[in-house]
Amino acid sequence: MLTPRHQALLATLAGMTVGVAVFGTVLAINSATGQDSAQTVVTSPTPTPTPIASDGLQPDALQFAAETFGTEREPVTAEVPAGWKTSQSGTRPRYVDPTGVWQIRFDARGSKQTPDALLEARQGSIDEPDYKVISTDNTTLVYTYTDRERGPRMGLSRWIAAGDSDRSAVEITVGGRPQDEAGLRAVLERATETLRLPDESDDRPS
């Protein structure tokens, strides 16, 4: 039989045990809710935004790289936007950007006709919805039309003579949308300035 003194001691020990349990529970709750403790915040890096094609092709965003096409005996070189790829080689390569919105095409087969004659023939042969000629300056046909799947489109086709002759050596065509006009003109001019034909020396000004 417990004496009153022993009963009081047991009651005290029981109270301390309950108190420790309650204190541990409070600590667990505070830890879960972040009270009286430092929280660690993990922030994921923001990915670099992908350029939006609807913004238009901007000239100052373009970088260029030299590409060689044509034939082994008569290679042709010109600069095209870096990253634009072609699935075909030879005399009629077509380089397309990764989004498929913009492209540049070369035709290095040559022709006995003059650039002006070829421009006139092309101008009258395009059969596309909403076809409209914008200009025909500098042996360059600039036009717009509506593609049945891709919507409004713009094309710029330029014919370049072979040296001092009147015959056409190369046709360069760039394509995109009307809002890409500034960028398309920059691509066309760069290709024209850097074009190297087989019978030309390397000191042609660029």
Side-chain angles (χ1 to χ4, degrees), residues 22-66:
V22 172
F23 180 70
T25 303
V26 171
L27 284 179
I29 294 174
N30 287 343
S31 296
T33 58
Q35 297 178 4
D36 299 329
S37 63
Q39 294 183 349
T40 302
V41 179
V42 179
T43 304
S44 300
T46 303
T48 301
T50 302
I52 302 174
S54 60
D55 292 341
L57 184 61
Q58 302 301 319
D60 56 0
L62 292 168
Q63 294 183 342
F64 296 88

Side-chain angles (χ1 to χ4, degrees), residues 64-68 77-80 95 194:
F64 296 88
E67 294 287 342
T68 300
T77 302
E79 291 188 8
V80 305
Y95 299 87
T194 59

